Each structure stands twice: as C-alpha cells, then as structure tokens.
Amino acid sequence: LRLRAYHEALRRRHHELEELHQATHRMKEQYRRLVELAQEGILIVDAEEIIRYVNPAFARSLGYAEEELIGRSILSLIPEEDHPIVITETERRRRGESSRYEVRMRTKGGETKAFLIAVSPLRDEAGAFMGALAVTVDITELKQKEEALRRSEERYSDLYNNAPDGYHTLAPDGTFLEINETELRWLGYQREEIIGRLTIFDVTDERGRRVLEHVLPRLAQERTIHELELEMIRRDGTRLPVRMNIVAEFDEQGSYRGCRATVRDITEQKTLERQLLQAQKLEAVGALAGGIAHDFNNLLTGMLGFTELALRELGPKDPRTELLRNVLTLGQRGARLVRQLLSFSRRMEAHRTVLDPREFLTEMVGLLRRILPETIAIRLDVSERVGNLEADPVQLQQVIMNLAVNARDAMPEGGTLTISCASVTLAQPGTPPLPPDAPPGRYLRLSVADTGIGMSPEVQARIFEPFFTTKEVGKGSGLGLSVVYGIVRAHGGFLTVQSALGQGSRFDIYLPITERSASREEEAMVRPPRGTNQLILLADDEPVLLDLEEKVLRTHGYRVLKARNGREALKLYEEHRSEVALIVLDALMPEVTGIEAARCILERDATARILLVTGYNPEEGGLKGIHLTNTHFLQKPYTPRQLLETIGRILSEPCVEPVRK
C-alpha cells in the first residue's frame, strides 16, 4: 500500500513537472515571438562586443539578413568617429550600469542612420559580466525632422533679427518680452538690458509716451493700430523717428496678453520732408527776391536813365558832372547787386563766358563782406597773372558762396577766410593731389581756406555725398558741397580738400585755363543811332519809366505813343497799326500783360516787331520758353544808350515772315 501511494505521488509530481515544462516552453515561445515581431530592434552582444543575437527588426533596419550579423563586432557597424561613444558605454555596462544614448550605424547599402539605444548589462550565474542586451529605435527620420525644424528656426531667426524693420513683443503693461536685433541696434541696447527690464515707455519721448498711454489700453477692443508715428529715445539720448503698426495678442481663452509691433525707421523720410520744406522755403524766397528785383530794376532803370540824360545836358566842365557820374556808378553797382540776388535765389541755365579771375574774385569778396559776420576777416591773395577762365559766373559764384558759408559755420567764434588763386601746370596725367583722370595742362588753382574747427578723416570721406551733413537738424540740407563738386566737375575741373580737427580746412578748386581773352562790356564812343521819324508804341505800368523812354526816343528822332497797360497798348496799336514800326512792352503789366499783348498783336500781324522788357530774370520771369517771331527781349535795368542801340538793331533787321503750317 505504501509503495502504491509513493508511486502515485511520483506520478502526480511528474505530471506537474511536465505541465511546468510545457508552460515554460510556451512562455519562451511567446517571448521569442514577441522579440521577433517587435518593431524595435533587439540584439545581444558578448563581453567582446560580438553580436550573438539580433531580431528581424534590427536586421531589417540595417538591410541585413539576421545570419549576416551574427558573429560580427558591433563596432563594424558604427562609423569610426562614434567608436569612443560605444567604448565609453561598454565600460558603464561592465560596472553594471544601464543607459540610453544615441549612436549612428551604417546600413548594408552604406547609408548612415541614427539610433536611440537602451542597454542593460548581462551577467552569468557567478555575477561576471558576459555582455549586454540592447533595444534600438531608428530615429533617422526624427533627426531629419529635427534638423529641418532647426534650419527653419534659424531662417526665421535670421529673417526676424536681420529684417530692415524692427519687431518687438510687449506684455500688457508695456514690458519688452521680445525684440529683434535690428531694433536693438537702433536703440543701442543689449538684449539682456531690455527684455523684462524696460518698457516701451522707457524708450519713447514724452509725446510718444502720452500717445502710447492712450492707444495701448484700446488694443484689446480695436485689435490693431496702424501708422503710429512717434520718436524713440536711444540709449545715448538721441532721437529716432519711427512708424509703428501694432497688433493685439490673445491667449486660448481670448484674454488679452499683450501686443506685437512692427517698427520702421523713418529718419530718411523725415530728412527728405525737411529738405522739401526747405526747398519750398527757398522757392518762396526766390519768388520774393524776384519780385523785389523787378521793383528795384524799375527804379534803377529810371535812376540810370535820368542820370544819363542829365549828364548829356551838362558840359564836361560843369562841377555837377562828377556828382552825377558817382550816382551813375552807384546805380550800376546796384544793378549788379540785383543780378547777384537773382542768381543766388533762382535757378539759371549755365551760360559760360571768358572772365578774369582777379576781377571776379574782387567783386565776390565785396559781396562776401556784406554776408559774413564782422568776426570773420576776409583775405584775398591773387597773383599778378593767372590767366582767364571759361566758366559760368553765376555757378562759380555759387561755388565760392557755398564754400564761404561752410567756412563761416566752421568758425562760430570768428577767424580768417582766405581766398587765393594761382596758375599751376600739370606735366603728367593725375599729378598728385589730383585724381588719376586729371589731364595735363595749365590750371587755375582757386583756394578757399578757413581757420575753423576742421574735419575728421571719416567726415572728409563723405562730405561730397548728397544730403550728408554734420550740422544739427534745420541748419543744413547736406547739398552744398555736393553741388560744389558737381559744378566743378561740369567745368572740367577737380576739387581736393585738406583738413584736420582743430586746424581748419582748405578746398582747392582746379579749373582749366583758357587762352581766350576776357570779354569787356565797354560802351562804344560813337553816338547811338538816331531814328528817322519812326513811330514807337511804348507800354509800361511805371509812369516815370514811360516818361523817361518817351523823352529819350523823342530826342533821338522817334515819334512816340504811350500806353499804361497792355489793354491800352492793344487799342493804340489797332488805331495806328499801319504807322507803328516797333512796340516796346513791359512783360508783366497788370490786367493784360506784355506777353499776352504781344501774342494778340502777332496773331493779327505776324510781321509786327516787338521788344519785351522785364525787371525779372528772363529765365524765371515768364519769358523762358517763349518763341515768338520778330520778338526780342531786354532786361532791366538798362541805360538810354542800351535802349536806343537795341531799338536801332531791331529796326535795321529785316522782318521774318512766319512759317505757315
């Protein structure tokens, strides 16, 4: 009985062991299937880094069959530059540590892939290190996406920070949360000095703060604010005019969380606006100067005319003759002064003549003495013989005037302005200090030097750039020296500058010398031609001038009809059309102007001879562009001789028959 019981117990034990064995086999089979079906790669390496097992997923990830990997060193799959990573990690396994790290492996086709590996050490029954179990995940695509994202963020950062406009983000209280490099550069701050520390109110002027305090609270309702102009304050205290466009930002719950703004530097626009305003002011000054010059020319015409008539009635030995000659000289000087006023206040087309530099500079210095303050002494140093120039005197006056004004500004406490000229000869092209394109030959070196504050090399490098100026806002347009440079180059000349801080400046203008002789306006000694009883129609709104011209013409053999405006002139012309030999019209009379009257007369009789006279600059007084047949021009002020000579010349010329279309 005992043996039977013992046998039954053995049988039950055997059955239990058999079931346990089958269960273990089933579990092993499940684990094997789990490993082989896993999406992650699994491998086992021994203590020498030799691969002892790989699952299909790991083999597929590298493009191998499983048996091709068994027995290979894991290092054979890894690029050499990554070997130190694997060796370091193996040492950690030997110490019993588990870890996760990234490493690259080469596929069978030579492609390099990135893997994330989780590794645990394997030990035998005695606890000795026998290798490692690793689970791998192919993260190549993830790394590529990360790299693409990184490049995208770099591009965005580059666009954001190097954009021509400024960008910033503000908290609801106006504190800077973000700002790009462009705006930081404008303001002169470092990022750490402004983010979370300063508010928008700290970097705007008082007016800008008031505007922002008014508009920012409205953002939550209005959401956007466009074209807001204000001035920001740089770290050094200077002002930066900007235009902002501001957009509100809201969180997921719709609560207002601040705003972002685009900021545009409008310094250049504001500069151009000021220059336009200055140009408009100059235009108004020019118009005013032209009107004043017109009135002065009428006065001077009468003064010069009556003085010349008085001189003719007095004998040369009469003691009053010298007094009247002085009046005549002063009147002629006044006429030159009016021409200079017109030249500097209005634009004129270039008209080059041959001039004597000594006479030109002497007259120019006289003009400068009336313009520059008494604290500035003017010295003129001119050689005996310097040759003649072929130049536009008005433009040359502008060159000297611009340089003199700059010299004045460089000597606020006074000093000495020296103007000199001398003849120089360049033996070879580009002789220093002239540029390489300067041809050899004789030049007049006209120098303008001051004892002012001087210029740094950085300023000298830019002084001829349009709109560049070192003067404060409103004190200069930045065009003076660029205009000087353009005029000098247009005359075939060259310009050099020497200057140092605290040592003044010297501008040397080199202009080609001409062999032609300077023209001199000398009145002929012969008497002006007399009329042969021709009828002259005079029209002028100045009664004094009308009486003067009538007296001059009648005493020289002409008959005269007088009209006080263009309307009377047209009426008298119609009444005496067959007799009138010449019509003399003031160009700008009230009601009907001389220009309008001339057109009406020529429409009725295209062969009529007309002389238009004006106190304005002909280029600016409404006469520019007028091309009327048989029409001539005479600018006031003129002397009786000039009037008689002009009339005599017109009457001696044959009438031009108009071209019929």
Side-chain angles (χ1 to χ4, degrees):
L1 290 171
R2 282 198 301 268
L3 286 173
R4 185 179 295 128
Y6 180 73
H7 180 267
E8 185 63 28
L10 287 176
R11 188 182 65 78
R12 287 197 303 270
R13 180 64 176 166
H14 177 75
H15 181 69
E16 290 174 354
L17 290 173
E18 183 66 25
E19 286 183 346
L20 181 61
H21 175 73
Q22 290 177 358
T24 302
H25 179 74
R26 287 195 301 272
M27 186 173 292
K28 287 177 64 177
E29 182 63 22
Q30 289 173 352
Y31 277 124
R32 184 188 66 79
R33 293 183 63 189
L34 179 64
V35 168
E36 291 186 351
L37 293 175
Q39 296 298 313
E40 295 81 8
I42 300 174
L43 71 154
I44 298 175
V45 296
D46 62 18
E48 303 301 325
E49 304 291 352
I50 302 301
I51 298 173
R52 295 307 178 187
Y53 171 81
V54 297
N55 73 338
F58 181 78
R60 282 197 306 272
S61 67
L62 294 179
Y64 288 97
E66 297 168 54
E67 58 272 14
E68 292 180 294
L69 294 173
I70 303 300
R72 292 184 60 169
S73 170
I74 188 67
L75 293 176
S76 68
L77 301 175
I78 297 173
E80 188 173 350
E81 54 269 26
D82 287 359
H83 284 188
I85 299 175
V86 178
I87 294 171
T88 300
E89 292 296 328
T90 300
E91 291 301 318
R92 295 181 65 184
R93 301 299 86 71
R94 293 182 187 280
R95 294 194 298 270
E97 299 177 13
S98 298
S99 66
R100 294 162 60 92
Y101 64 96
E102 292 182 10
V103 71
R104 295 178 300 161
M105 295 188 191
R106 281 190 295 266
T107 66
K108 186 175 182 179
E111 179 187 357
T112 300
K113 288 188 173 184
F115 290 87
L116 176 64
I117 301 181
V119 192
S120 295
L122 296 175
R123 295 187 178 276
D124 59 17
E125 293 81 355
F129 177 70
M130 59 176 290
L133 171 66
V135 179
T136 66
V137 178
D138 184 352
I139 59 172
T140 304
E141 186 176 350
L142 177 62
K143 297 294 285 186
Q144 290 172 344
K145 290 180 178 179
E146 286 180 351
E147 178 62 20
L149 178 61
R150 185 189 64 79
R151 289 197 298 267
S152 176
E153 289 176 344
E154 283 183 353
R155 286 194 296 270
Y156 168 77
S157 177
D158 181 65
L159 290 172
Y160 178 76
N161 286 305
N162 296 307
D165 291 335
Y167 298 99
H168 64 244
T169 303
L170 304 178
D173 64 354
T175 301
F176 282 96
L177 300 177
E178 184 54 62
I179 184 170
N180 72 342
E181 292 294 331
T182 299
E183 194 169 350
L184 282 172
R185 187 167 58 252
W186 290 346
L187 297 176
Y189 286 97
Q190 297 296 319
R191 185 175 298 276
E192 59 272 15
E193 294 176 316
I194 202 168
I195 299 297
R197 293 173 177 259
L198 298 182
T199 69
I200 188 65
F201 307 106
D202 295 322
V203 294
T204 50
D205 67 348
E206 184 177 350
R207 175 189 168 277
R209 284 193 291 272
R210 290 198 303 268
V211 171
L212 290 172
E213 287 169 355
H214 176 68
V215 301
L216 289 183
R218 294 161 37 202
L219 264 178
Q221 290 75 37
E222 298 186 7
R223 296 182 176 265
T224 60
I225 295 175
H226 295 291
E227 305 297 313
L228 179 64
E229 290 193 8
L230 48 85
E231 286 191 338
M232 302 184 80
I233 306 298
R234 298 186 180 94
R235 185 174 183 175
D236 62 6
T238 57
R239 293 172 179 259
L240 173 70
V242 299
R243 181 182 296 117
M244 285 188 188
N245 288 304
I246 308 175
V247 179
E249 290 191 333
F250 301 88
D251 60 20
E252 294 177 354
Q253 287 73 40
S255 299
Y256 176 66
R257 66 175 190 179
C259 62
R260 64 181 185 274
T262 302
V263 186
R264 175 156 296 178
D265 180 359
I266 57 173
T267 302
E268 184 175 353
Q269 175 187 326
K270 291 297 182 182
T271 300
L272 291 174
E273 287 176 358
R274 286 193 297 269
Q275 290 165 353
L276 176 60
L277 180 61
Q278 180 68 11
Q280 290 171 339
K281 288 180 180 178
L282 290 176
E283 186 71 18
V285 169
L288 177 62
I292 294 173
H294 173 265
D295 293 338
F296 265 92
N297 280 333
N298 280 337
L299 297 174
L300 289 169
T301 298
M303 186 179 76
L304 292 174
F306 285 118
T307 302
E308 189 172 306
L309 291 180
L311 281 171
R312 290 181 180 175
E313 293 183 3
L314 297 176
K317 295 182 180 181
D318 192 301
R320 292 169 294 181
T321 298
E322 186 62 30
L323 297 177
L324 289 174
R325 289 191 183 278
N326 290 335
V327 173
L328 193 63
T329 300
L330 292 174
Q332 291 168 344
R333 187 177 299 174
R336 287 197 298 271
L337 188 59
V338 171
R339 283 197 297 271
Q340 288 176 340
L341 178 64
L342 284 172
S343 299
F344 285 118
S345 64
R346 309 294 283 175
R347 180 174 297 181
M348 297 179 65
E349 294 184 359
H351 178 66
R352 296 189 185 183
T353 60
V354 178
L355 54 87
D356 184 338
R358 293 173 297 180
E359 294 181 1
F360 171 79
L361 291 178
T362 300
E363 184 176 338
M364 195 67 202
V365 167
L367 179 62
L368 291 177
R369 293 191 194 280
R370 294 189 288 272
I371 296 174
L372 301 182
E374 294 181 356
T375 55
I376 296 178
I378 304 177
R379 292 181 58 247
L380 178 61
D381 183 9
V382 182
S383 303
E384 284 296 323
R385 297 184 60 82
V386 293
N388 295 327
L389 292 177
E390 188 170 359
D392 177 11
V394 172
Q395 290 187 342
L396 203 53
Q397 285 174 349
Q398 187 175 4
V399 167
I400 303 298
M401 183 62 72
N402 286 0
L403 293 177
V405 168
N406 277 0
R408 177 202 64 191
D409 295 340
M411 298 184 289
E413 304 300 324
T416 301
L417 175 67
T418 302
I419 300 177
S420 60
C421 67
S423 175
V424 296
T425 301
L426 303 183
Q428 296 179 349
T431 303
L434 294 185
D437 61 334
R442 292 183 64 216
Y443 287 83
L444 175 77
R445 184 180 63 210
L446 197 161
S447 304
V448 178
D450 64 65
T451 57
I453 58 177
M455 295 178 287
S456 66
E458 294 76 18
V459 171
Q460 290 183 56
R462 300 188 60 193
I463 55 175
F464 298 117
E465 295 179 12
F467 306 121
F468 175 76
T469 179
T470 58
K471 300 173 185 176
E472 60 185 270
V473 175
K475 294 296 182 66
S477 66
L479 291 171
L481 288 178
S482 64
V483 169
V484 167
Y485 181 82
I487 291 174
V488 171
R489 292 294 284 179
H491 280 75
F494 305 91
L495 182 61
T496 63
V497 58
Q498 301 175 32
S499 184
L501 288 174
Q503 299 181 23
S505 303
R506 170 174 166 155
F507 290 85
D508 288 328
I509 302 167
Y510 292 80
L511 296 172
I513 289 177
T514 182
E515 300 301 324
R516 296 173 58 191
S517 300
S519 59
R520 298 180 181 275
E521 297 181 1
E522 297 179 351
E523 294 187 350
M525 298 304 293
V526 298
R527 290 181 178 274
R530 291 183 59 82
T532 55
N533 207 36
Q534 297 102 318
L535 180 62
I536 308 295
L537 172 56
L538 298 176
D540 201 307
D541 58 329
E542 287 287 343
V544 173
L545 295 186
L546 205 56
D547 292 342
L548 169 65
E549 291 166 352
E550 179 189 18
K551 185 173 184 179
V552 170
L553 292 176
R554 288 191 183 280
T555 57
H556 284 79
Y558 296 99
R559 290 179 296 139
V560 176
L561 292 173
K562 294 194 301 182
R564 292 170 297 178
N565 54 55
R567 195 180 307 280
E568 286 188 12
L570 289 174
K571 182 180 178 182
L572 288 173
Y573 178 74
E574 285 299 321
E575 293 174 356
H576 303 274
R577 178 172 177 177
S578 60
E579 299 178 74
V580 174
L582 175 68
I583 307 101
V584 181
L585 301 168
D586 183 36
L588 300 177
M589 293 181 288
E591 298 184 26
V592 178
T593 68
I595 297 173
E596 294 169 344
R599 286 199 171 102
C600 290
I601 291 171
L602 290 171
E603 286 175 1
R604 300 169 191 176
D605 182 3
T607 62
R609 292 185 173 96
I610 296 174
L611 174 62
L612 285 172
V613 298
T614 179
Y616 287 102
N617 178 353
E619 296 295 333
E620 299 287 344
L623 305 181
K624 185 175 182 179
I626 294 178
H627 301 289
L628 301 176
T629 306
N630 298 320
T631 302
H632 305 266
F633 302 97
L634 180 61
Q635 186 177 359
K636 299 176 182 178
Y638 48 78
T639 64
R641 174 183 292 277
Q642 291 170 329
L643 176 63
L644 291 169
E645 288 177 346
T646 302
I647 291 175
R649 185 178 67 255
I650 294 172
L651 293 177
S652 65
E653 295 174 353
C655 281
V656 178
E657 290 290 338
V659 178
R660 302 292 181 184
K661 293 185 179 180

